[in-house]
């Protein structure tokens, strides 16, 4: 039985030669390991303890290679022309992906230049652990399932004991959605612009992108998208790349950069100014501070989450989808909608 399943998986792997069409996930290939696990002669509990006689099921090295290659290439083919490309898997990009991918009809590709997604949200400020989130963004934590300490109704903020708890939780929720593909170690090197509208991104392996100065021409690849969400973070070697490119090609006049730190002003500003800056491109997270000249906000992350959620709703709008059609995977709290609304008041510092 197991051998038949393996043979079926191999046949389907071979028959999925790349015709340039989206290839649906292969149920047979995915199910095979489970069937094999059931046929183990020793119980799972015993196997866990019997390390001296522990033995894995056999596999051919070529199968490992084919499984990885087929799936990745299928993803590349599927997302060569996709609904939304999110550039940057930091806290804003992941929050956007979480909200947007509730609708299974929207295909979302996340392009992240680092091998490790998560951006700056693995730690709090000054490399400390705790993540401070000002209310009402704690409702987003609740929805995603991130535990936090709350000093009570009179407290204006909550504390996640380790920033990595937020990042790992939202990352796993996003990755398990069937309509999301994360391409990590892939950099967006440029934008596709057609008739004044951003229509996708130019991509390359990040390690290649980092070596353009050391090698002769290494051409990139492309990913067309109906909407691009740029969440590249604040300026740096790989930061604010989306808005800096808009400036260098003359689609925006100025990228003034973020101003000095003012938490109260900054967080509201970032959510308020999260917008479609040019047709086809929405900017979210700290990249907003770069293009709008907002204050830097320091180690408080609610604005990244709410800005990402707002970007997702703007992306739906840009795709021509109504808010009423969003399937209820989680429930969007009314407080969060108000907090991310266009006309939200900027707090006086
Ligand atoms: C020097 C420094 C200063 C900081 N200052 C502040 C501050 O003032 N205020 C503040 O709140 N926080 C600051 N932080 C913390 C942290 O960066 C942010 O709070 C938060 O992580 C920003 O979230 P984000 O999602 O907007 O961007 P990030 O967490 O930075 O995520 C952006 C992601 O995009 C990826 N990326 C960028 N360009 C590309 C590209 N072209 N292709 C593919 N991927 C790309 C990056 O690798 C990264 O993973 C700072 C961090 C550093 C290192």
């Amino acid at each position: 039985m197991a051998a038949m399943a393996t043979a079926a998986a191999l046949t389907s792997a071979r028959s999925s030669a790349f015709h340039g069409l989206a290839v649906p996930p292969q149920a047979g290939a995915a199910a095979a390991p489970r069937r094999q696990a059931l046929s183990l002669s020793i119980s799972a509990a015993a196997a866990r303890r019997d390390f001296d006689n522990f033995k894995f099921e056999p596999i051919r090295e070529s199968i490992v290679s084919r499984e990885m290659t087929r799936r990745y290439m299928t993803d590349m083919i599927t997302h060569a022309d996709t609904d939304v490309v999110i550039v940057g898997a930091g806290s804003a990009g992941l929050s956007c992906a979480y909200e947007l991918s509730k609708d299974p009809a929207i295909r979302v590709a996340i392009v992240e230049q680092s091998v490790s997604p998560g951006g700056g949200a693995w730690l709090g400020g000054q490399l400390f652990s705790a993540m401070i989130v000002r209310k009402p963004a704690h409702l987003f934590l609740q929805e995603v399932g991130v535990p936090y300490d709350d000093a009570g109704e009179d407290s204006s903020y909550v504390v996640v004991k380790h920033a990595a708890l937020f990042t790992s939780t939202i990352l796993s929720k996003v990755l398990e959605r069937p309509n999301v593909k994360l391409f990590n170690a892939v950099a967006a090197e440029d934008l596709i612009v057609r008739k004044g509208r951003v229509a996708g991104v130019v991509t390359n392996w990040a390690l290649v992108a980092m070596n353009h100065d050391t090698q002769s021409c290494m051409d990139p690849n492309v990913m067309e998208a109906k909407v691009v969400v740029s969440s590249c973070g604040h300026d740096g070697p790989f930061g604010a790349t989306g808005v800096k490119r808009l400036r260098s090609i003359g689609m925006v006049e100025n990228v003034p950069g973020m101003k000095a730190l003012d938490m109260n002003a900054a967080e509201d500003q970032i959510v308020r100014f999260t917008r479609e800056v040019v047709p086809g491109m929405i900017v979210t997270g700290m990249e907003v501070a770069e293009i709008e000249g907002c204050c830097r906000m320091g180690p408080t992350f609610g604005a990244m989450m709410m800005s990402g959620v707002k970007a997702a709703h703007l992306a739906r709008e840009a795709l021509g989808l109504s808010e009423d059609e969003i399937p209820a995977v989680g429930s969007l709290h009314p407080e969060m909608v108000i907090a991310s609304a266009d006309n939200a008041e900027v707090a006086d510092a």
Side-chain angles (χ1 to χ4, degrees), residues 207-329:
L207 297 178
V208 171
M210 290 163 74
N211 274 287
H212 282 308
D213 293 340
T214 67
Q215 304 287 321
S216 60
C217 176
M218 295 179 288
D219 272 339
N221 202 346
V222 287
M223 216 179 254
E224 286 187 55
K226 298 186 181 86
V227 181
V228 171
V229 175
S230 194
S231 47
C232 296
H234 44 68
D235 205 356
F238 268 109
T241 37
V243 296
K244 286 193 292 191
R245 188 60 180 142
L246 288 182
R247 180 185 51 197
S248 67
I249 56 179
M251 288 183 80
V252 298
E253 270 182 23
N254 197 12
V255 179
M258 61 184 175
K259 294 206 182 84
L261 189 148
D262 180 339
M263 282 187 194
N264 283 296
E267 287 214 276
D268 294 356
Q269 286 172 351
I270 283 166
V271 178
R272 180 181 177 194
F273 293 128
T274 297
R275 64 187 176 93
E276 189 171 1
V277 291
V278 297
M281 183 165 138
I282 294 159
V283 176
T284 180
M286 285 307 286
E287 200 171 2
V288 174
E290 299 290 344
I291 192 170
E292 301 289 349
C294 307
C295 303
R296 61 189 294 177
M297 60 176 196
T300 164
F301 284 81
M304 298 300 105
M305 298 167 200
M306 296 319 307
S307 170
V309 169
K310 180 178 176 185
H313 289 271
L314 294 174
R316 281 189 67 85
E317 232 172 75
L319 290 169
L321 298 169
S322 94
E323 293 293 292
D324 308 335
E325 292 163 11
I326 305 176
V329 172

Side-chain angles (χ1 to χ4, degrees), residues 67-87:
E67 281 290 348
M68 288 191 302
T69 311
R70 179 178 62 78
R71 284 160 194 263
Y72 199 89
M73 293 303 159
T74 300
D75 287 331
M76 285 183 81
I77 290 164
T78 303
H79 290 284
D81 181 1
T82 196
D83 293 320
V84 181
V85 168
I86 298 174
V87 183

Side-chain angles (χ1 to χ4, degrees), residues 152-163:
E153 274 179 18
D154 292 340
S155 173
S156 61
Y157 64 91
V158 301
V159 183
V160 180
K161 71 174 183 180
H162 202 301

